[in-house]
Amino acid sequence: NKINFRTNNQILSPVNREKSYKVRYKDDISDSLYKKSKGWHLIDSNKNLQFKIKGPKQIRVISRSYIDENDNGLYGFNIRENGRYMSDYLYQFSKSDKDAHLILNDEKINVTGYNSFFFNVPTGINYYTIHTTSDMDETILLKLQSYIEKK
């Protein structure tokens, strides 16, 4: 059986937030112009994200964190599906080699390189909540994308 490649067909928006952010980055550090990656949402210890997703679907979660020299070098979050624990995700900071940053209140905030993973959404309407790991106080940027098989 042939395995088809997947392609991104949609950036998902949370049901509990309207504001999204753009991460700016360079394809090559020597480039003079920045590219923009849209659809990023912030979570921290006071803010979570909630998504309503109709399955079956394949979802890619992409994450980055603010770079703070005082942090322990880790950031983490967990996901619940329909109120039930699904998984914890813990990543080490890795400085972006593409000068990735966010402009917030006219201030440049450096962010880590990205990490990502996929998960499958079962048939029907499903609700997902993503929040930071309870023992960490960091700001995380998340982006969810829906994927389909390439034909």
Side-chain angles (χ1 to χ4, degrees):
N1 288 345
K2 181 181 173 195
I3 297 176
N4 292 327
F5 289 102
R6 299 174 290 217
T7 185
N8 170 18
N9 75 327
Q10 179 184 12
I11 295 175
L12 302 176
S13 296
V15 296
N16 64 334
R17 294 267 180 82
E18 292 181 21
K19 180 147 179 76
S20 66
Y21 299 89
K22 294 176 188 166
V23 170
R24 297 166 46 105
Y25 66 95
K26 294 180 178 182
D27 270 340
D28 187 274
I29 202 67
S30 63
D31 291 346
S32 59
L33 297 175
Y34 285 94
K35 291 190 172 187
K36 295 178 184 172
S37 174
K38 299 177 183 179
W40 293 89
H41 297 276
L42 296 175
I43 64 170
D44 60 27
S45 58
N46 298 314
K47 300 178 204 163
N48 64 21
L49 290 177
Q50 297 172 346
F51 294 87
K52 178 181 177 181
I53 303 172
K54 183 176 180 182
K57 275 196 169 127
Q58 236 180 14
I59 303 299
R60 181 182 186 195
V61 177
I62 307 169
S63 67
R64 297 177 180 267
S65 179
Y66 283 16
I67 294 179
D68 185 348
E69 303 304 324
N70 299 324
D71 279 334
N72 63 2
L74 299 172
Y75 72 93
F77 56 93
N78 58 46
I79 298 181
R80 292 185 166 274
E81 178 182 66
N82 300 321
R84 293 188 191 112
Y85 170 81
M86 208 169 124
S87 188
D88 284 326
Y89 297 89
L90 187 64
Y91 297 107
Q92 286 188 316
F93 283 178
S94 60
K95 188 169 175 35
S96 170
D97 57 0
K98 297 181 181 258
D99 191 24
H101 64 276
L102 170 75
I103 303 293
L104 191 60
N105 300 325
D106 295 325
E107 180 184 348
K108 179 180 177 181
I109 299 171
N110 291 319
V111 295
T112 62
Y114 73 87
N115 292 290
S116 71
F117 62 91
F118 286 88
F119 71 89
N120 293 315
V121 176
T123 302
I125 301 292
N126 296 278
Y127 296 89
Y128 295 88
T129 303
I130 305 174
H131 52 84
T132 60
T133 306
S134 60
D135 58 344
M136 296 185 175
D137 186 27
E138 69 270 334
T139 303
I140 298 171
L141 289 159
L142 291 170
K143 180 181 196 176
L144 270 71
Q145 298 174 322
S146 172
Y147 274 71
I148 58 172
E149 283 187 9
K150 206 184 253 190
K151 295 184 178 181

